[in-house]
Amino acid sequence: MNLEDLRFARFKPLDDAIADWTTMVRNLVDLETEAHNGLRGQANKANWTGVNATVSRKFIGRTAEEFKDAHTQATSIKNILSDTRDELKEHQRALEAALDRALKKNLTVTSTAGGGFTVTMNIHPDRAAKGTTVPEHSESDVTLFRDEIQGILDRATQSDSSAATVLRALADQSRYGFSGAAYKDRDSADGAIKEADRLARLARQKPGDLSVKEFDELNAGLKKYADDELFAERFAAQLGAKGTLEFWAGVNDPHDGARLGHERVGQYGELQKNLSLTLATASQSDSQSMTDWKRDMTGLGSQPVGRPGGPMGFQVMSNLMRWGDFDDGFLKSYGSELIKTEKKITDNGGHAPLAWQRMGMDPFLNRTGTDSGSDPMTGFMKALSNSPDAATDFFSDPFVTKDEDHDFKREGPDGKEVKAGLSNFDYLFEERDWPQEQNSEGERSNTGRNAMALALEAATTGHPAGELPGPDTPAHNARQANLMKSLVSSIADDPERLTKHGYMSDSVGQIAAEYLPDITLATTDDTRGSAKNLFPIAEKRADLSHASVTRFLVSVGQNPEGFANVEVGQKAYMANLLDYHMNPDLPDDLRYPHSPEDTVKEIARRSGEVGGTIAVGRQEAVLGPASQADGDFEDAVAQKKNTWSGAIGTGVGVGVSFIATPVGGAVASGVAGTVSSVVLEHIFQQSEPDQLQEAGKSAGAIWEASTKSNVGISQLAAETAVKAHGAPYGDQALEWARIGTLDGFGDASVNVAQMADDLETEIQPG
């Protein structure tokens, strides 16, 4: 900014712009509130069905988020403009004061060509009017005023140019929507960009040149700014895709990073996490720089990093994807290229991916202590576990077609094996020979398969793994439901795909809990009647067979975590169903067209069958070859209290409109609860250590205890639901629930014997 620009700057247009943005912010506050409480709130309460259950609800949720981001971005722009204007006005006042003081020293400041200025004598004493005394000045005064004015202009230029840089960066973050980056003033936004530039310069150094102090600064900076959109985009763009790979590979190289590793290897895990979170934030940017970064990173995946024979790009980058929410588009293209490389190094899945097997001198690219990081599929699965849409697409995509060169066969319609194509799910869950891994203690590691289970949890449920569905979670779409069908069928066909890898059961159990409407409907064997009203499903139903569901539940029930997820989920689902169907205000077209007695009995019966089937799995785990302690199952149920209590869960089915009925004073705290909260509290109380009795030593004792527990819970749910809605048949409901549950356990016993007898160990008497 030159002298004339600042001296004669008119701030009225900028004042008007700030006033307009202030009005915009105020209006967007109202729009954001209306979008969240009105549009989104009504959408979550609406009874969506069909395509509306997924597309419309999801669109409305995203639209509401866009209003929130629009408000955030408008606020940031207003703050930056206001801060910049105030600074420029202050610089203008400082300039005017300096010019006045110079004039009092008989010095004048004039502009020169090219934007410069000079400080010269204003009136020569020889030419002063007669009797006029001209102020004196020295050469040092000239120098001081020149430096002062230049400093003012430099600071004004910095204010102006940095504001322009920050505003352009904000605008570039989102190509079609709004950025969620929030800044209180220009300095905070400008500081983030400058820090990104500084830290990127540190990361571009050779690992051997990076000092311990610089490492600490880099680690601390990434931790501080990992969620800052401007910082993350700038850091990743300045470092570049190749630079990112070379940095992490170099730091972990046993030769190049030896000196730094000796001092700071204990902090490598934290740096890995902070860098991953930063790159995830950066990947959400639509700027041209990040578009190039994502394209380059995908292209470098199959190339060695650093020296010849170094790790492949996929091996390095996948370890920087274990944390954070990466852009779906990037994950899709990255996953497609990773699969191409996997097919190449395994001859279309014909043998183990030996290129991903860590050998003696290979670097440890993962610093969490769980595995070496040599298999890129592990880190990529972790990334997918945080990105449901990308996970669904990835597992649904083809691995090989039936026309490609491979030996995979499946049973055809006539019972004969024929060459068949595989999806990515088929390959990873059923066929892949996962590389052998060890943790930092030298013990065998199952992190890869476990990460795959987490990714499947996200892919089938529509929300990140480890979370529960909320009011904004859309109903299951066709691809999710088909993936669920594939999972159930795969485990039913070969239960050891799960039981030999029990650590996956917590995720598979959570998946089952969120598909309880589909599972329960399958147990009715009703394809033409009114069971669909009793167990409503908002959009796409997973087409499951009764036999597959039975074998699947027995398998899941053999692991304490899997058992607990289904057990708690099923009881909450049953309680909500009773609450839903006992409500006299339920519209006729949604009502089960039978008597209250039939309604309670059928809900209790189907719940009893699910409970009885997983009880068989629990029984097998305790009394069969695995010899699992029965107390482990109760402990696992007790642990669910922190995640399920007060949670919305599946209601009566994800995407189905349901508002739980308050039940005053129902919970121990005396605070008003709901039918499901009463049931869950009872379950958790029964699983507390001081309530447990010694586990039974026989199949009969375990079965009897499970039956008695399920009867009591269903009776409590029915009684509470009936009272909540003021129905006149409270005592009768207790008997209906008892009969229904006993019938359900009887169904479970018969169906397991007929459909899954090979999954039970014959217990010899004595």
Side-chain angles (χ1 to χ4, degrees):
M1 182 172 288
N2 61 39
L3 179 70
E4 298 298 313
D5 289 338
L6 182 59
R7 187 176 186 180
F8 300 110
R10 294 175 60 252
F11 292 105
K12 179 65 167 58
L14 189 53
D15 290 337
D16 292 342
I18 293 169
D20 289 342
W21 278 105
T22 301
T23 301
M24 176 71 75
V25 169
R26 188 163 52 248
N27 291 338
L28 284 171
V29 169
D30 296 336
L31 288 172
E32 180 189 352
T33 301
E34 177 59 29
H36 186 272
N37 297 337
L39 183 67
R40 193 177 208 166
Q42 292 299 320
N44 289 337
K45 295 176 183 178
N47 190 37
W48 299 105
T49 57
V51 174
N52 279 326
T54 51
V55 178
S56 296
R57 183 191 291 264
K58 196 169 188 177
F59 172 77
I60 289 172
R62 287 181 174 175
T63 300
E65 284 299 312
E66 282 295 317
F67 277 113
K68 179 181 178 181
D69 287 344
H71 173 223
T72 300
Q73 184 168 345
T75 302
S76 294
I77 292 173
K78 188 263 294 184
N79 290 343
I80 292 167
L81 287 175
S82 181
D83 188 47
T84 303
R85 177 205 54 191
D86 293 345
E87 286 187 0
L88 289 175
K89 284 185 175 181
E90 182 59 36
H91 294 321
Q92 188 183 61
R93 285 191 290 269
L95 177 62
E96 290 171 349
L99 295 177
D100 287 343
R101 284 187 283 106
L103 193 58
K104 291 176 182 178
K105 286 279 189 176
N106 193 30
L107 294 173
T108 186
V109 182
T110 55
S111 299
T112 61
F117 67 91
T118 61
V119 180
T120 58
M121 184 183 298
N122 186 31
I123 302 174
H124 195 280
D126 294 343
R127 292 193 292 273
K130 187 176 181 179
T132 301
T133 301
V134 178
E136 295 183 357
H137 63 266
S138 64
E139 191 61 33
S140 64
D141 289 328
V142 174
T143 301
L144 287 172
F145 277 114
R146 182 197 65 200
D147 293 346
E148 180 183 358
I149 292 169
Q150 186 60 57
I152 293 171
L153 294 177
D154 288 345
R155 290 190 291 276
T157 299
Q158 169 62 19
S159 296
D160 185 55
S161 62
S162 62
T165 298
V166 167
L167 290 172
R168 278 195 296 268
L170 275 175
D172 288 344
Q173 289 304 300
S174 184
R175 187 175 302 166
Y176 301 111
F178 300 94
S179 167
Y183 298 97
K184 63 180 181 179
D185 52 37
R186 180 196 58 80
D187 285 345
S188 60
D190 183 48
I193 290 177
K194 288 180 177 176
E195 185 68 355
D197 289 341
R198 186 180 76 86
L199 296 182
R201 286 194 298 272
L202 294 181
R204 284 198 299 268
Q205 295 183 81
K206 293 181 179 179
D209 296 335
L210 189 66
S211 69
V212 171
K213 180 176 180 294
E214 289 171 332
F215 174 91
D216 291 342
E217 290 176 357
L218 179 60
N219 194 16
L222 292 175
K223 181 178 182 179
K224 178 180 179 180
Y225 287 101
D227 294 329
D228 188 298
E229 294 181 17
L230 294 190
F231 170 89
E233 189 276 343
R234 184 78 166 210
F235 175 83
Q238 290 295 309
L239 187 56
K242 184 179 180 182
T244 302
L245 297 175
E246 290 178 342
F247 168 72
W248 188 244
V251 166
N252 289 284
D253 188 280
H255 303 291
D256 297 343
R259 180 186 56 80
L260 185 63
H262 180 71
E263 297 286 341
R264 284 293 183 268
V265 70
Q267 279 76 55
Y268 279 13
E270 182 184 7
L271 176 63
Q272 180 185 357
K273 178 180 179 179
N274 295 333
L275 182 53
S276 177
L277 290 170
T278 301
L279 295 177
T281 302
S283 74
Q284 300 292 342
S285 172
D286 290 334
S287 72
Q288 186 59 51
S289 295
M290 280 310 299
T291 299
D292 295 341
W293 187 95
K294 287 179 274 192
R295 182 199 63 231
D296 293 345
M297 183 60 74
T298 301
L300 291 168
S302 59
Q303 306 301 315
V305 179
R307 53 185 169 77
M312 287 191 196
F314 285 128
Q315 291 178 289
V316 179
M317 182 58 202
S318 286
N319 285 290
L320 301 178
M321 300 172 74
R322 296 187 180 219
W323 296 268
D325 180 15
F326 280 82
D327 173 62
D328 283 355
F330 170 61
L331 290 178
K332 290 175 185 178
S333 60
Y334 184 95
S336 295
E337 291 302 314
L338 176 57
I339 285 295
K340 287 181 183 178
T341 303
E342 175 94 6
K343 290 172 67 174
K344 183 178 180 180
I345 66 175
T346 62
D347 293 328
N348 286 340
H351 56 79
L354 298 179
W356 306 145
Q357 181 65 57
R358 183 181 181 274
M359 306 305 287
M361 293 302 294
D362 290 343
F364 286 94
L365 296 170
N366 172 48
R367 291 295 178 169
T368 65
T370 58
D371 59 281
S372 71
S374 291
D375 182 4
M377 205 63 74
T378 301
F380 180 61
M381 290 293 109
K382 287 287 289 181
L384 289 182
S385 73
N386 294 320
S387 300
D389 290 346
T392 304
D393 288 343
F394 174 80
F395 282 113
S396 303
D397 285 345
F399 178 73
V400 289
T401 67
K402 66 178 182 178
D403 298 322
E404 291 183 73
D405 182 18
H406 63 80
D407 296 323
F408 296 118
K409 295 182 179 181
R410 293 290 186 270
E411 186 176 295
D414 59 357
K416 296 181 180 179
E417 286 198 339
V418 295
K419 188 176 180 181
L422 299 183
S423 67
N424 286 336
F425 165 78
D426 296 329
Y427 171 68
L428 292 172
F429 193 76
E430 299 178 358
E431 303 291 349
R432 189 182 195 238
D433 293 322
W434 288 76
Q436 295 182 9
E437 275 287 357
Q438 291 183 335
N439 61 24
S440 57
E441 303 298 322
E443 299 171 344
R444 182 171 180 174
S445 169
N446 300 306
T447 305
R449 284 183 183 272
N450 200 35
M452 176 188 62
L454 291 169
L456 281 170
E457 183 180 339
T460 51
T461 64
H463 60 74
E467 298 181 5
L468 290 175
D472 293 329
T473 304
H476 301 139
N477 60 37
R479 297 195 101 187
Q480 291 167 343
N482 288 336
L483 191 55
M484 175 60 177
K485 178 182 179 180
S486 296
L487 178 65
V488 171
S489 298
S490 180
I491 294 173
D493 289 344
D494 185 357
E496 288 189 345
R497 288 171 179 158
L498 179 64
T499 57
K500 274 195 171 182
H501 311 287
Y503 46 83
M504 297 195 298
S505 294
D506 55 345
S507 289
V508 176
Q510 183 59 39
I511 294 169
E514 296 188 37
Y515 276 85
L516 282 168
D518 313 66
I519 289 172
T520 306
L521 194 56
T523 67
T524 67
D525 296 313
D526 181 2
T527 58
R528 302 176 63 182
S530 52
K532 62 182 182 297
N533 282 49
L534 192 59
F535 308 106
I537 295 174
E539 203 237 325
K540 181 62 179 178
R541 170 193 171 191
D543 186 14
L544 310 174
S545 72
H546 198 159
S548 292
V549 161
T550 298
R551 296 176 65 83
F552 171 76
L553 289 175
V554 171
S555 303
V556 175
Q558 293 182 41
N559 176 271
E561 289 291 329
F563 173 89
N565 277 332
V566 180
E567 172 77 354
V568 175
Q570 175 62 26
K571 299 308 181 286
Y573 175 55
M574 173 190 64
N576 287 332
L577 272 177
L578 288 167
D579 184 2
Y580 178 80
H581 286 290
M582 293 298 101
N583 187 347
D585 297 327
L586 185 67
D588 289 341
D589 61 326
L590 300 179
R591 189 174 295 281
Y592 184 56
H594 297 281
S595 68
E597 177 180 356
D598 289 340
T599 301
V600 173
K601 280 184 176 179
E602 185 63 10
I603 291 174
R605 182 171 188 167
R606 300 279 67 86
S607 179
E609 180 173 348
V610 172
T613 306
I614 61 172
V616 172
R618 172 179 177 171
Q619 177 180 292
E620 170 62 20
V622 173
L623 302 176
S627 299
Q628 183 83 43
D630 193 57
D632 292 346
F633 289 83
E634 294 298 338
D635 290 342
V637 170
Q639 292 300 315
K640 297 302 172 187
K641 182 174 184 177
N642 295 330
T643 55
W644 275 89
S645 293
I648 294 172
T650 57
V652 293
V654 177
V656 178
S657 176
F658 170 68
I659 300 176
T661 306
V663 181
V667 295
S669 63
V671 178
T674 62
V675 179
S676 61
S677 70
V678 172
V679 170
L680 290 179
E681 180 161 314
H682 176 76
I683 293 173
F684 296 135
Q685 285 178 344
Q686 294 303 307
S687 62
E688 290 175 357
D690 59 349
Q691 298 293 324
L692 298 179
Q693 298 179 359
E694 184 177 353
K697 300 300 182 182
S698 69
I702 294 176
W703 183 258
E704 181 181 2
S706 296
T707 305
K708 183 177 180 181
S709 173
N710 275 264
V711 167
I713 291 169
S714 64
Q715 286 183 313
L716 175 63
E719 179 183 40
T720 308
V722 167
K723 287 182 178 179
H725 293 288
Y729 34 79
D731 292 338
Q732 294 169 288
L734 289 172
E735 183 65 6
W736 299 339
R738 184 187 70 83
I739 294 172
T741 304
L742 290 175
D743 286 345
F745 262 69
D747 292 341
S749 180
V750 171
N751 289 330
V752 170
Q754 296 298 319
M755 302 173 180
D757 65 313
D758 57 308
L759 304 186
E760 288 189 281
T761 301
E762 184 176 349
I763 308 298
Q764 299 297 329

